[in-house]
Amino acid sequence: MFGVLTIVFASWRDALFLGILVSNIAIGSFQEIRSKRALDRLAALVAPDAVVVRDGADRRVPVNEVVTGDLVRLSAGDQVVADGTLTAAEGLALDESNLTGESELAVRGAGERAWSGSFVVEGSALLEATAVGADSRAERLTATARAFRHPRSPLERANDRLLLWLVALSIPLVIGLTASVFAHPEKTYARVQTLTAGIVNLVPEGLILLISVTAAVSAFKIAQRGVLAQQLNAIESLASVDVVCTDKTGTLTESTLRVVGLVPAAGTDKAVLGRELARYAASSPSRNLTLQAIADARLADAAPARVVAQVPFSSRRRWSGLDLGDERLVFGAPERFADADAELEARAREEASAGRRVLALGRTDSPLPRGGSQPKFPDDVRAIGLVVLAERLRPNAAETVAFFTAQGIALKVLSGDAPATVGAIAHDAGIPGSAPALDGEALPPEPAALRDAVLSAPAVGRISPEGKRAVVAALADARRYVAMVGDGVNDVPALKQARLAIAQGSGTQMARSVADLVLVRDDFAAVPGMVAEGRQILRNIERVARLFITKAVFTAVVGLAVAIPTGTFPLLPRQFTIASTVTIGIPAFVLALAPSSGPWRPDHFLQSVARFAIPAGLTIGIGIVAGYLLARYGFGLDLTRSRTVATGIVVVCGLALVMRLETEGGRRRLEVAGLCALMALLFALALVIPFLRHFYELSTPTGDAVIAWALGTILGVGAMLGALRVLHV
């Protein structure tokens, strides 16, 4: 509005601040476009796809290639990508919370409908697609997702409060300045100039833009490390995290398993156990990592058998079953097998305590249930033996854990494996905690007790998906800033509950879809770099905010002391533009993207910025007012020379403020000093080059003007440095 008024009623040269805004937007758009291209390349690597049955064979295709009539094969963790009818279903349970808002799983059978936008939590199925693309619920869900706004980060909320306070405090000044301007017999263009200079500069117009540009640049940086930021504020938000809850497999350990031993039950030899395990893995309609490891081990030659009935694996019940016609096999946690002999039980405990994954295979004569979300474990299961699988710590797991420990970030491992197994892995990775791993089935129900128990232990084993969510919720209720790292369907409830969700790129589509950050390369070691990047954002934005708010404060001081009493502002809008460019515009952009160190938490962001900007702005404002009044009324200089004095004081005090904000010594301080010298040179050129001097309506300082400039600068800079030193900021 003020730009239009200035162009219409005053001079287009006083609307230069619009050019600064346009330039900032152009720079910001360039950075965001560059970042978006990098993010799009990463997003393509984790985009959802589908397995369709065409010509009798399974084919994996992008979602947009699924057509009406396709048979889509669904497994646990898959997203339903088309509306359709289930032609076959085995223990299928869908998460339809995106569509219905209900958290309870929906059990579906053959002949029933399934809708795009839901996720397969358990079981497997074949879906005949009846609606795809724009005709499906997935497209409508996508439109809803585009309208969704992620919860704002701590920095964003702090800046919101800062701007609200600034607007509220500016209202009386705006009213007083407007009344004063119309009370004085000035021409219209002079009134517009005064109002524009006094009001526009109260607004830190570039601060919000710099925040988004900084976030976009950071997203581009981490994209080069193989991390996809699905929310731009996620990187900055990560810096505020003080508890990281993580799954074990794929994060601390390699995502693949290997068979390291077979332990047959009494009366069974190892060859029989190996043959039965190989047959179970070969016949299972959907393989998880465990069954894939057994299949890869080639324990025996086994052809897939026809599956008469199936109980798919569920992390809540911790077992699965297959009816192969001639026998019924049950596979799962060893403690589910009540008739295991003492030697088998002891061996299972021993291997689990060493950090191995131990599972038992058994036979049953009872028919396997064909439906329900919680099938009952058969009572007559006879153990055939144990299979022992090993996980390896990732090469950089210990180093990553050490980083979190040094930064005061608690790391908690939440896993469905046995507590002893999870505890051993946590110990090997170096996660602090004297208490043993907790049993997820015996966690206290009260949130406070649950929080205390989890904070004292390094890990929780045998924990259900709902248990993970309850742990994250209890920590969040205690004002802990929680990040959850996961890759499977069983991690999704906790990912949704966490303040920051991080998914592995190789994880399920369901996990990736709810995540704020996706580790495309499955590299948990990338997280420390993101934490450092987020903390740099927080530090730099706080420094930049101090610059912008200091400008608003000294503008208010000058308005109260000079503009309201006289109806004339000591600087023209165009003079404010060049002064702001060399003291805030260019330096703020450099400072926002530069390396930095020091405090980073935004807990008291508003107080910290105000504690610095108010005394700095007041003292600089006093220096500007003193220099201007001395030139205008003490030495009797004309308005142009007096405004040149005021502009010069703003520039020198502003550059001194930039130097004061740089707390690091050595090379960094020299670089900032060089930047300030370059900015001072730019302003000097505006004074000595006739065209620029006329354009900005400045004059070459001589005699009394130099004295007024020097005295105002000494007062402003000296008082500013003294006040900040006294206040220890």
Side-chain angles (χ1 to χ4, degrees):
M1 180 182 74
F2 281 100
V4 174
L5 289 175
T6 301
I7 293 172
V8 173
F9 294 105
S11 170
W12 64 269
R13 292 178 294 175
D14 285 322
L16 287 179
F17 61 89
L18 294 179
I20 300 298
L21 288 178
V22 171
S23 299
N24 283 340
I25 291 172
I27 294 170
S29 299
F30 168 76
Q31 294 289 359
E32 292 199 21
I33 290 171
R34 184 179 71 159
S35 299
K36 185 178 184 302
R37 287 176 177 173
L39 298 178
D40 285 345
R41 289 193 292 270
L42 283 183
L45 300 178
V46 295
D49 51 21
V51 176
V52 298
V53 182
R54 293 178 181 170
D55 301 324
D58 289 354
R59 293 181 56 191
R60 187 171 293 276
V61 300
V63 170
N64 58 6
E65 293 184 14
V66 177
V67 297
T68 302
D70 269 340
L71 277 180
V72 182
R73 190 176 298 280
L74 302 174
S75 301
D78 287 347
Q79 181 179 356
V80 181
V81 298
D83 300 344
T85 303
L86 297 169
T87 60
E90 290 289 343
L92 182 67
L94 299 177
D95 179 350
E96 298 180 343
S97 59
N98 285 334
L99 305 174
T100 66
E102 295 292 332
S103 58
E104 292 295 325
L105 300 183
V107 178
R108 297 283 183 263
E112 295 187 84
R113 298 280 293 173
W115 305 103
S116 56
S118 56
F119 291 87
V120 180
V121 177
E122 297 175 4
S124 59
L126 278 175
L127 175 82
E128 182 179 355
T130 58
V132 298
D135 298 327
S136 69
R137 288 197 181 186
E139 187 66 23
R140 294 192 292 274
L141 182 66
T142 300
T144 302
R146 289 193 186 107
F148 173 74
R149 291 294 180 265
H150 193 73
R152 297 179 71 75
S153 68
L155 178 61
E156 289 173 324
R157 293 198 302 270
N159 272 289
D160 288 344
R161 293 193 299 271
L162 179 62
L163 292 176
L164 285 173
W165 273 106
L166 200 58
V167 169
L169 295 174
S170 299
I171 292 175
L173 179 63
V174 171
I175 294 173
L177 184 59
T178 304
S180 174
V181 164
F182 283 97
H184 286 80
E186 297 287 348
K187 294 182 179 180
T188 301
Y189 76 88
R191 289 173 174 170
V192 172
Q193 287 176 328
T194 297
L195 288 173
T196 301
I199 295 175
V200 169
N201 289 286
L202 291 172
V203 182
E205 71 279 354
L207 180 57
I208 302 303
L209 180 63
L210 270 178
I211 292 176
S212 62
V213 170
T214 304
V217 171
S218 296
F220 173 74
K221 288 180 181 178
I222 68 167
Q224 294 177 313
R225 303 175 190 167
V227 180
L228 172 63
Q230 301 194 127
Q231 297 289 341
L232 274 184
N233 66 5
I235 308 152
E236 171 258 307
S237 185
L238 182 60
S240 300
V241 167
D242 54 14
V243 179
V244 175
C245 297
T246 177
D247 192 16
K248 172 175 62 66
T249 305
T251 302
L252 297 178
T253 62
E254 301 285 355
S255 57
T256 57
L257 297 170
R258 57 191 177 91
V259 175
V260 295
L262 300 179
V263 184
T268 304
D269 61 37
K270 188 176 292 188
V272 172
L273 174 59
R275 184 172 62 250
E276 292 297 308
L277 283 167
R279 189 183 189 209
Y280 190 97
S283 305
S284 181
S286 57
R287 290 181 186 173
N288 54 22
L289 290 174
T290 301
L291 293 180
Q292 187 61 53
I294 292 173
D296 293 341
R298 301 184 181 277
L299 301 174
D301 293 330
R306 176 175 174 270
V307 177
V308 178
Q310 176 194 16
V311 176
F313 177 78
S314 165
S315 58
R316 290 194 300 276
R317 57 176 174 263
R318 307 195 315 279
W319 67 278
S320 61
L322 294 179
D323 185 342
L324 303 179
D326 57 342
E327 66 176 344
R328 300 183 181 98
L329 299 175
V330 177
F331 187 58
E335 56 265 31
R336 304 289 302 191
F337 293 69
D339 72 334
D341 57 50
E343 184 178 346
L344 209 61
E345 292 179 353
R347 182 65 181 274
R349 287 194 298 270
E350 178 185 346
E351 295 289 351
S353 64
R356 305 291 176 87
R357 177 175 293 187
V358 185
L359 294 164
L361 183 71
R363 294 188 183 94
T364 179
D365 296 326
S366 302
L368 294 179
R370 292 175 177 267
S373 59
Q374 283 290 352
K376 184 178 180 298
F377 189 81
D379 296 327
D380 62 343
V381 175
R382 302 175 301 280
I384 302 173
L386 307 175
V387 58
V388 182
L389 302 103
E391 296 176 294
R392 289 186 294 269
L393 279 176
R394 287 180 174 269
N396 45 25
E399 181 180 348
T400 304
V401 169
F403 169 84
F404 284 121
T405 302
Q407 296 298 318
I409 300 173
L411 192 63
K412 304 298 175 183
V413 184
L414 309 179
S415 175
D417 289 342
T421 303
V422 183
I425 292 293
H427 179 270
D428 291 345
I431 296 176
S434 57
L438 301 175
D439 187 342
E441 295 181 335
L443 292 174
E446 300 82 9
L450 176 59
R451 179 195 68 238
D452 293 340
V454 172
L455 288 176
S456 65
V460 184
R462 289 290 181 233
I463 188 169
S464 66
E466 290 76 14
K468 292 183 179 183
R469 185 202 61 77
V471 166
V472 173
L475 292 171
D477 289 342
R479 298 185 178 276
R480 304 303 293 264
Y481 205 96
V482 185
M484 176 68 197
V485 186
D487 59 358
V489 174
N490 60 324
D491 298 316
V492 170
L495 288 169
K496 287 183 175 181
Q497 183 68 44
R499 184 57 189 79
L500 186 72
I502 304 173
Q504 302 280 11
S506 62
T508 62
Q509 293 175 9
M510 190 176 184
R512 297 198 305 263
S513 71
V514 302
D516 302 299
L517 295 166
V518 180
L519 307 178
V520 178
R521 299 172 186 164
D522 292 344
D523 187 7
F524 187 52
V527 177
M530 290 191 294
V531 172
E533 189 69 36
R535 291 180 176 181
Q536 178 175 302
I537 292 175
L538 295 177
R539 282 191 296 265
N540 289 352
I541 292 302
E542 183 172 325
R543 289 197 300 179
V544 169
R546 290 178 173 185
L547 271 180
F548 280 100
I549 305 307
T550 298
K551 172 191 172 185
V553 172
F554 73 64
T555 299
V557 171
V558 174
L560 289 170
V562 179
I564 290 179
T566 67
T568 302
F569 204 86
L571 285 84
L572 290 173
R574 73 194 78 168
Q575 294 166 345
F576 240 134
T577 296
I578 187 173
S580 296
T581 299
V582 299
T583 61
I584 296 178
I586 297 174
F589 191 80
V590 173
L591 291 177
L593 302 179
S596 60
S597 62
W600 49 269
R601 288 191 181 277
D603 301 341
H604 304 288
F605 178 85
L606 185 59
Q607 297 92 318
S608 176
V609 171
R611 193 162 180 257
F612 182 96
I614 290 175
L618 285 173
T619 50
I620 291 175
I622 292 171
I624 298 169
V625 170
Y628 174 81
L629 293 178
L630 179 61
R632 186 83 174 101
Y633 301 105
F635 294 138
L637 301 182
D638 61 28
L639 188 57
T640 298
R641 292 183 180 277
S642 299
R643 280 175 165 164
T644 302
V645 169
T647 305
I649 296 171
V650 170
V651 170
V652 178
C653 289
L655 294 178
L657 185 66
V658 172
M659 286 298 301
R660 178 62 177 75
L661 285 172
E662 181 52 57
T663 57
E664 294 185 27
R667 181 177 177 180
R668 274 292 301 156
R669 197 165 188 82
L670 289 176
E671 290 172 348
V672 173
L675 173 65
C676 291
L678 179 60
M679 296 300 100
L681 177 61
L682 291 178
F683 179 68
L685 292 176
L687 290 175
V688 300
I689 297 176
F691 168 76
L692 293 177
R693 188 169 62 244
H694 173 73
F695 184 89
Y696 287 109
E697 206 167 313
L698 298 169
S699 63
T700 304
T702 57
D704 294 340
V706 173
I707 295 173
W709 184 354
L711 292 176
T713 299
I714 292 171
L715 176 60
V717 173
M720 176 195 71
L721 295 178
L724 296 179
R725 186 176 297 111
V726 170
L727 294 173
H728 303 289
V729 291

